[in-house]
Amino acid sequence: MKNETVFIVTCGNDVERQKRTEILRAILMIKGVVGAIEVGNEHATKLPDLDVLQLTTRVRNGLHAAGIETTSQLLTYSEIDLLKMQWFGRKSVTEIIDVLANHGLSLRDCRLRW
């Protein structure tokens, strides 16, 4: 399981958001974080609960065993991250990708993004 910290930055306008994002990037660089994912504010409040995603019992149990309890936690993983876990094979990961796509969501891209 990976160690992670989640930051949610809400701002009134684009200028304020840009300033806060620059400060957050500086903090992350100081802390030694090598990658970050930026999610627009519109997604922060619309993430469905894992139960709403209607995943099979096998996949839900695998997520629970991996310590993934929320959709926001799941979205921090890439397809490769999940495949490296002992609880997930190609079929389980494909199911996760398909179910997330049905809700307009996707796993983290394998490339680092700022």
Side-chain angles (χ1 to χ4, degrees):
M1 187 183 329
K2 61 185 177 180
N3 186 10
E4 64 182 53
T5 302
V6 177
F7 293 96
I8 299 176
V9 180
T10 56
C11 305
N13 58 49
D14 287 338
V15 174
E16 183 181 350
R17 180 173 173 260
Q18 183 177 5
K19 287 179 184 177
R20 288 187 183 188
T21 301
E22 289 172 8
I23 292 169
L24 181 57
R25 284 185 186 150
I27 292 169
L28 293 174
M29 287 176 64
I30 291 169
K31 294 274 189 186
V33 176
V34 295
I37 300 170
E38 185 176 331
V39 178
N41 289 340
E42 66 277 2
H43 295 295
T45 58
K46 295 182 181 179
L47 293 178
D49 190 55
L50 279 180
D51 295 333
V52 175
L53 295 180
Q54 298 178 350
L55 296 163
T56 61
T57 303
R58 178 179 177 81
V59 171
R60 278 196 321 265
N61 289 342
L63 291 172
H64 180 70
I68 302 170
E69 303 294 335
T70 65
T71 304
S72 61
Q73 288 176 325
L74 177 60
L75 296 179
T76 65
Y77 290 86
S78 71
E79 181 177 349
I80 292 171
D81 294 333
L82 294 176
L83 286 170
K84 288 180 182 177
M85 295 178 187
Q86 69 181 21
W87 303 281
F88 300 109
R90 168 61 44 204
K91 188 174 178 181
S92 296
V93 172
T94 300
E95 177 185 334
I96 291 170
I97 291 169
D98 292 344
V99 168
L100 288 174
N102 289 339
H103 288 83
L105 301 169
S106 63
L107 293 171
R108 179 176 61 86
D109 193 354
C110 293
R111 296 180 304 260
L112 296 177
R113 290 186 282 166
W114 285 99

